[in-house]
Amino acid sequence: MTIDSTNLAFILFAVFIATTLVLVTYAGRQSRKASDFYNAGGSLNGFQNGLAISADYMSAASFLGIAGLISLYGFDGFFYSVGFLVAWLLALLLIAEPLRNTGRYTMGDAVAFRMRQRPVRTAAAGSTLVVSIFYLLAQMVGAGALVALLLNLTDPAAKNWIIAAVGAIMVVYVVVGGMRGTTYVQITQAFLLITGAAILTFLVLLNFDFNLNSLLGKASEMSGLGQAFLEPGGRFAVEVVGDSWASFIGKLDLISLSIALVLGTAGLPHILIRFYTVPTAQVARKSVNWAIGNIGLFYLMTIALGFGAAALVTRETLGRGVNDDGSLVDSSGNVAVPQLSVVLGGGEGSFGGAIMLAFIGAVAFAVILATVAGLTLATSSSFAHDLYGSVIRKGKASSKEEVHVARIATVVIGAVAVILAIFSQGLNVAFLVGLAFAIAASANLPAVVLTMFWKSFNTRGAVWAIWGGLGSALVLLFLSPNFTGAANSLIPLSTGIDINFFPLRNPGLFSIPFGFFMGWLGTVTSKERDKELWAELEVRSLTGADVGERPSH
Amino acid sequence: MQDSTDSVVTTTQASEVWERTQQSTEFKTLKSRFRRFSFPMTIAFLVWYFVFVLLMTFARDWVSTPVFGNINIAMILALLQFVSTLIVVVTYDMYSHRKLDGIREDLRVKVEKELHG
């Protein structure tokens, strides 16, 4: 990387930040009511919201992480793309429309609709906070590493400053622009991301005469793994020779991750609140259609980006060097896309390479900022609307007061996320994201699905489903090799602390069914059955009558 | 949250509207049409996805069989997941237009009229 690309990247970052700040200020001027802050007044159309959803969803883990995994491990990286896309069908078929019709601003609105407000909203806010903070950490840790790399900053303190800067910018987006401003940033990002990925894809395919077969052939040849590069098992559930138990656990772990991916999307709070930004359920459906189109197109392009990087960039470069024992210095592959862009632009030291690298760096930066802004908004909304408005002030707070609290919460959440991210830089980004999906699927999905479709579901069921799913996911995590007892655990082996009793790294296989089970158990052990509110919820959820109005209790 | 000011009915009357609508033939038709599509489709796509996952996990030799040059069964199955996702999206949109949106709109107008006059 030359000085040219670093300077150019700085300029492009500055242009992006300046443009988005103008958009956000403009959005802030347009915003008068509380609903502008929470859901952009419910005024977006399907195309706008679809783009914003895809920007919210496709984080740096998608743009850099998946292509990076493909570039180093081949087919298994693409496995992520499939799960992340298919997951949207659940949101489309069961969640988006009923949610739009029954809630206003937060996930808690819909789940607490026919329940006693305080316990359910406390639980909903609790799980929203945990899921979003995990996800936020992943993004910010990734941002620090990525931007430092792109700008060629070697000083460790530089990463901390970048994390702090990302935190500050996202806080400004949310405080000034609310949901409307965040949406504008996300729409800008979606255009940049698709354009960037399309340019790279086109150039990769051009190199191989638009022949997928020869692209895959060259990629497997360059990887040094031959056909195995194109087969499953390179990264996930790697066969352990002579240890069938370990091989089996690896396979279970892969299944657990798959369940978390496919069921987690429809439980992510920052995704759920995007369904509130449109006027009707029909538009909510259209926005999911647009989002699926956009997301599907992007994930399809990860084939060209990932295998293209494997075919055109040396393995040593992708891994940022090779250790003495032959292993790669960086086994994440996060630099594969930037490295690929250098090659496609004309190679190291060329002017074209510098331009491409700076452009792709700016896209990655935009991707991170748009996602963290959405996460911060979801968290502060839930804090202000569920915890402050309904639990602390028992519904007596004015909407103006709530938004004021939300803005303060945004600043606090930003500060907390920056501090946590600075101390978690050793954590693997993909691992944090996988975890956020598992927790979302365990804590949120059962409560949302059961409240929409199960007549008997009640307050105790909702509370037990959320806390049960959340608690079991977190407990299994602490007892897993992620935390202690393995070579790459968070707590190093050398400390001698070993509470590794649960062999799977992803808890979803057990914690998601447990969330549903607790929802059932809580419901049947409580006598509460509110027939009137069930009638209201069911009619509202399917017809969209009186949407956005207060439930009649 | 504020009470809606344009309400012409009391809370008790409102809940009667909701319950009456829930029991109406029109609503029951809407509900069964919605569930008849969404529930089986959800199960179908989940089963199809987990068949894919299980094949990738337990039938690696088979999915590694090349079909066209370097393109093997695993890659084809993965791409088919993209195709099936698109098919579900398009089918659901068409189904909604034909079978759900009309009746849904009728009911919405009717309920809102009863609630707000």
Side-chain angles (χ1 to χ4, degrees):
Chain A
M1 281 174 230
T2 62
I3 291 295
D4 293 341
S5 75
T6 307
N7 288 342
L8 208 54
F10 257 123
I11 295 167
L12 289 180
F13 285 4
V15 169
F16 177 77
I17 293 170
T19 313
T20 49
L21 286 180
V22 170
L23 284 174
V24 164
T25 313
Y26 172 70
R29 291 245 173 97
Q30 281 185 314
S31 301
R32 308 245 178 281
K33 297 187 304 249
S35 62
D36 288 310
F37 181 86
Y38 286 119
N39 69 350
S43 61
L44 301 181
N45 66 37
F47 179 65
Q48 292 170 327
N49 194 37
L51 285 183
I53 290 173
S54 59
D56 232 346
Y57 192 61
M58 291 190 288
S59 61
S62 289
F63 183 49
L64 304 172
I66 293 179
L69 287 177
I70 297 176
S71 77
L72 290 178
Y73 306 99
F75 181 82
D76 273 6
F78 190 50
F79 192 85
Y80 263 118
S81 293
V82 175
F84 279 141
L85 175 69
V86 169
W88 274 96
L89 291 178
L90 192 64
L92 174 70
L93 294 171
L94 297 182
I95 308 289
E97 295 170 79
L99 197 81
R100 160 64 282 187
N101 285 340
T102 50
R104 274 180 105 188
Y105 301 148
T106 63
M107 180 187 82
D109 281 347
V111 178
F113 187 97
R114 56 184 171 125
M115 315 294 174
R116 283 187 289 123
Q117 298 293 305
R118 295 181 75 189
V120 176
R121 284 188 187 268
T122 309
S127 75
T128 297
L129 282 172
V130 174
V131 172
S132 301
I133 289 282
F134 264 103
Y135 214 123
L136 203 49
L137 275 186
Q139 299 303 320
M140 297 185 86
V141 169
L146 170 82
V147 180
L149 182 85
L150 291 167
L151 297 183
N152 232 351
L153 304 169
T154 41
D155 183 4
K159 277 192 195 176
N160 298 347
W161 282 111
I162 290 162
I163 289 175
V166 167
I169 298 168
M170 79 187 185
V171 166
V172 172
Y173 284 164
V174 175
V175 168
V176 176
M179 177 58 100
R180 200 182 287 277
T182 303
T183 303
Y184 291 164
V185 175
Q186 289 173 335
I187 291 173
T188 316
Q189 185 260 60
F191 275 114
L192 280 175
L193 177 63
I194 290 292
T195 312
I199 292 173
L200 292 181
T201 300
F202 178 76
L203 293 174
V204 166
L205 293 176
L206 200 61
N207 265 285
F208 292 93
D209 297 325
F210 293 89
N211 184 336
L212 179 63
N213 195 27
S214 53
L215 166 64
L216 294 177
K218 179 76 174 166
S220 63
E221 185 197 319
M222 287 285 287
S223 71
L225 298 167
Q227 284 299 312
F229 192 67
L230 306 175
E231 296 163 3
R235 165 85 176 187
F236 302 124
V238 180
E239 305 283 341
V240 187
V241 179
D243 190 344
S244 55
W245 174 247
S247 298
F248 179 69
I249 290 297
K251 288 176 179 189
L252 273 190
D253 219 351
L254 175 58
I255 292 167
S256 192
L257 172 70
S258 309
I259 294 179
L261 293 186
V262 83
L263 300 181
T265 299
L268 293 171
H270 68 296
I271 296 295
L272 294 177
I273 62 166
R274 288 231 59 97
F275 302 140
Y276 296 136
T277 62
V278 293
T280 65
Q282 281 90 329
V283 185
R285 184 177 75 230
K286 286 211 172 59
S287 45
V288 179
N289 291 348
W290 277 111
I292 290 180
N294 215 13
I295 292 166
L297 179 67
F298 174 79
Y299 284 139
L300 212 50
M301 293 196 281
T302 59
I303 299 180
L305 301 182
F307 286 108
L312 299 170
V313 184
T314 63
R315 200 170 170 77
E316 198 184 335
T317 313
L318 293 174
R320 303 179 66 196
V322 179
N323 292 320
D324 291 338
D325 61 355
S327 63
L328 299 168
V329 174
D330 177 356
S331 61
S332 70
N334 282 340
V335 298
V337 172
Q339 297 289 7
L340 173 68
S341 66
V342 172
V343 172
L344 292 172
E348 192 89 8
S350 73
F351 181 63
I355 290 185
M356 284 295 284
L357 178 63
F359 173 61
I360 293 305
V363 173
F365 192 57
V367 166
I368 290 168
L369 281 175
T371 306
V372 292
L375 285 161
T376 309
L377 181 69
T379 320
S380 52
S381 295
S382 178
F383 184 86
H385 186 62
D386 293 327
L387 266 191
Y388 181 78
S390 296
V391 177
I392 297 172
R393 295 292 311 274
K394 298 173 194 166
K396 292 193 186 75
S398 73
S399 51
K400 207 173 160 190
E401 192 183 335
E402 252 186 50
V403 173
H404 185 64
V405 170
R407 292 208 162 98
I408 296 170
T410 305
V411 178
V412 175
I413 290 158
V416 170
V418 166
I419 293 166
L420 286 178
I422 285 174
F423 286 106
S424 6
Q425 288 184 53
L427 293 180
N428 177 299
V429 174
F431 157 69
L432 284 170
V433 169
L435 229 53
F437 270 73
I439 300 172
S442 312
N444 298 344
L445 186 74
V448 173
V449 168
L450 292 175
T451 203
M452 295 297 173
F453 300 108
W454 189 24
K455 184 180 174 182
S456 308
F457 199 50
N458 53 29
T459 303
R460 188 187 284 173
V463 170
W464 285 18
I466 296 176
W467 290 126
L470 182 65
S472 62
L474 290 177
V475 166
L476 290 180
L477 202 74
F478 280 119
L479 299 178
S480 79
N482 295 307
F483 197 62
T484 60
N488 53 356
S489 300
L490 184 61
I491 310 277
L493 275 178
S494 56
T495 57
I497 302 169
D498 185 356
I499 49 166
N500 175 11
F501 299 114
F502 179 73
L504 303 186
R505 285 179 179 272
N506 195 299
L509 185 60
F510 295 94
S511 60
I512 299 168
F514 189 72
F516 277 101
F517 169 76
M518 290 307 282
W520 170 81
L521 190 68
T523 302
V524 297
T525 56
S526 156
K527 287 201 186 72
E528 182 197 7
R529 297 283 183 277
D530 197 323
K531 272 176 59 190
E532 291 176 10
L533 278 174
W534 164 242
E536 181 173 347
L537 176 110
E538 196 177 33
V539 173
R540 275 175 183 271
S541 77
L542 281 172
T543 64
D546 234 17
V547 70
E549 296 292 325
R550 185 178 191 269
S552 60
H553 59 84
Chain B
M1 282 189 270
Q2 276 97 42
D3 275 310
S4 52
T5 44
D6 56 346
S7 204
V8 296
V9 292
T10 63
T11 312
T12 336
Q13 284 167 321
S15 45
E16 274 166 18
V17 172
W18 298 117
E19 285 189 282
R20 199 166 55 238
T21 313
Q22 191 189 34
Q23 295 311 317
S24 69
T25 333
E26 218 180 351
F27 182 78
K28 283 179 177 164
T29 312
L30 173 65
K31 180 178 167 180
S32 93
R33 280 185 188 176
F34 172 77
R35 293 193 169 199
R36 216 162 48 210
F37 186 94
S38 289
F39 287 10
M41 199 56 116
T42 301
I43 292 167
F45 95 77
L46 285 175
V47 166
W48 163 225
Y49 175 69
F50 282 107
V51 166
F52 168 76
V53 171
L54 291 173
L55 286 175
M56 295 304 131
T57 319
F58 293 104
R60 284 188 174 158
D61 289 340
W62 182 69
V63 297
S64 300
T65 318
V67 182
F68 314 104
N70 292 309
I71 299 167
N72 54 24
I73 294 178
M75 181 58 88
I76 291 173
L77 287 173
L79 293 174
L80 282 177
Q81 291 283 338
F82 279 69
V83 174
S84 59
T85 301
L86 188 68
I87 291 174
V88 175
V89 169
V90 172
T91 324
Y92 181 56
D93 204 56
M94 281 164 47
Y95 185 84
S96 297
H97 273 297
R98 272 208 336 261
K99 298 272 188 179
L100 303 177
D101 288 350
I103 188 168
R104 176 181 276 169
E105 188 59 16
D106 288 349
L107 274 166
R108 184 185 69 78
V109 171
K110 209 163 126 189
V111 169
E112 284 177 359
K113 206 167 165 191
E114 286 181 47
L115 284 175
H116 306 299

